[in-house]
């Protein structure tokens, strides 16, 4: 679809969803009245800018189902995101929502190279998390063979990959890396038929992706989403891997400066704000995702015309402020992954010592015997610290650890340990 035609469709859907929210969700009704926003007066797409943003706090304040636009009898599925603090974010889907959701995911997995011939192992946790069932229905829709193994029991995961000739893997990138280590230990790495990785749900720098591809001999693709917007299915990479195509007929994206809340200029990094154009269960109007990215509206060389968002460089609330300097974990990951002597597992520990914030970067060595060679160890440590300093602008303590000494995760990796508020 050309941009003009797409924008006409977006406008039609935008008018509908704003009116629908005004009529069916008391929270939005009040918000629009307070802002003097009349949904009947939307004429052009940019009229959306008169509508206030919706935030995670708004969802929390209306816990559990206050933002639902339909009665529970029309909701056919509930999911929830765990959330690090307080109550989970509960989301509900109507029958139409589930259909649209699987369409969106189906598009993304096809763009990434999946086909009906693929045997796909889904190693996301099944349950309230949207990742597993989201990919599950999208992949079934394209006729792939789905193995709903869920996460955990990594040795069994590897056995199934091998025994069933699995060709595509769905997981977080960090879990894929861990699985590849176990596959190597079990001696099955070379007999696997795995060719495609459909990874998502957490950040993965291109450098980390290289490590996974080397570990598993797969073509690794990335897809993005969040529970509040449906789950996976918002955007994903095609085989050219030059940004994640946003399903713009269902999700209207904007980018804002998270501090000034103003729209950012073309090509600039901003916080992604999304309006769901078709969701019935729990529509989101101008939802602040907190994810920082850029958007490219040029059609892709693959032929798809949807805008492409860059891999999120981090979340605005994931950013570490250390001695006044903004540090993104992705910057650290990029530095670490280009050093061949260190592995893909790392941890960032932030402490307060006196009035000073300190950052310790713990990373595993590929070869543990280096720990016995003090000279080499020290020079590697100095090199990594210098590379980090030149990228971050601050000094970090680098601790090189034995292989397999850093905790592994079977879902999203928790790499930041911020001890600053602990006694
Ligand atoms: O993680 C949905 C999902 C599942 C997406 C499976 C893709 C695959 P939540 O648990 O609500 O939903 O977490 C959403 O995870 O705001 C991002 O910060 C982060 N995130 C998701 N996908 C990516 C990605 C799912 N590809 C939050 N790259 C989002 C970087 C990602 N971060």
């Amino acid at each position: 679809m050309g941009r003009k035609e797409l924008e006409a469709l977006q406008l039609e859907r935008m008018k509908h969803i704003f009116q629908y929210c005004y009529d069916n969700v008391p929270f939005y009704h009040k918000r629009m009245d307070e802002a003097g926003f009349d949904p009947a007066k939307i004429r052009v797409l940019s009229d959306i800018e008169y509508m206030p943003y919706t935030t995670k706090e708004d969802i929390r304040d209306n816990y559990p189902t206050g933002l639902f636009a339909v009665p529970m009898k029309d909701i056919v599925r509930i999911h929830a995101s765990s959330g690090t603090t307080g109550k989970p974010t509960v989301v509900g889907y109507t029958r139409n929502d589930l259909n649209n959701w699987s369409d969106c995911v189906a598009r993304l997995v096809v763009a990434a190279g999946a086909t009906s011939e693929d045997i796909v192992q889904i190693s996301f946790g099944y349950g309230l998390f949207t990742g597993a069932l989201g990919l599950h229905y999208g992949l079934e829709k394209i006729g792939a063979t789905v193995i709903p193994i869920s996460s955990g029991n990594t040795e069994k995961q590897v056995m199934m990959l091998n025994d069933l000739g699995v060709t595509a893997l769905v997981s977080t990138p960090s879990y894929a890396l861990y699985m590849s280590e176990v596959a190597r230990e079990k001696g099955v790495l070379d007999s696997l038929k795995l060719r495609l990785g459909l990874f998502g749900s957490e950040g993965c720098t291109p450098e980390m992706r290289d490590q996974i591809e080397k570990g598993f001999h797969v073509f690794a693709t990335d897809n993005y989403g969040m529970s509040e917007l449906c789950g996976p299915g918002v955007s994903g990479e095609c085989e050219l891997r030059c940004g994640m195509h946003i399903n713009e007929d269902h999700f209207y994206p904007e980018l804002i400066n998270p501090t000034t809340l103003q729209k950012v200029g073309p090509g600039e990094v901003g916080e992604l704000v999304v309006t769901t154009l078709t969701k019935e269960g729990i529509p989101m109007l101008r939802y602040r995702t907190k994810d920082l990215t850029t958007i490219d509206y040029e059609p892709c060389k693959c032929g798809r015309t949807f805008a492409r968002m860059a891999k999120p460089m981090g979340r605005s609330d994931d950013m570490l402020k250390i001695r006044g300097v903004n540090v993104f974990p992705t910057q650290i990951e990029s530095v670490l992954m280009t050093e061949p002597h260190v592995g893909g597992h790392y941890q960032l520990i932030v402490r307060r010592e006196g009035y000073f914030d300190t950052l310790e970067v713990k990373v595993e060595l590929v070869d543990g015997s280096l720990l016995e060679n003090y000279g080499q160890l020290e020079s590697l440590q100095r090199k990594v610290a210098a590379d980090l300093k030149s990228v971050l602008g601050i000094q970090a303590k680098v601790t090189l650890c034995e292989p397999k000494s850093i905790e592994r995760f079977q879902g999203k990796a928790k790499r930041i340990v911020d001890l600053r508020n602990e006694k």
Side-chain angles (χ1 to χ4, degrees), residues 124 129 131 201-203 222-227 232 291 315 412:
F124 279 139
F129 177 54
S201 185
E202 68 179 10
D222 193 2
N223 67 85
Y224 165 90
M226 67 194 313
S227 322
D291 291 314
R315 291 178 57 80
K412 296 188 198 233

Side-chain angles (χ1 to χ4, degrees), residues 262-276:
Q262 299 301 308
K263 206 167 138 172
V264 302
E268 276 179 46
V269 174
E271 177 183 331
L272 180 68
V273 170
V274 177
T275 297
T276 59

Side-chain angles (χ1 to χ4, degrees), residues 18 38 43 56 67 70 86 124 163 191 215-216 232 352 382 393:
F18 273 84
D38 181 353
R43 292 284 168 266
K56 182 115 180 162
L67 294 189
V70 296
F124 279 139
D163 295 355
S191 56
F216 249 151
R352 178 151 295 150
R382 252 191 269 122

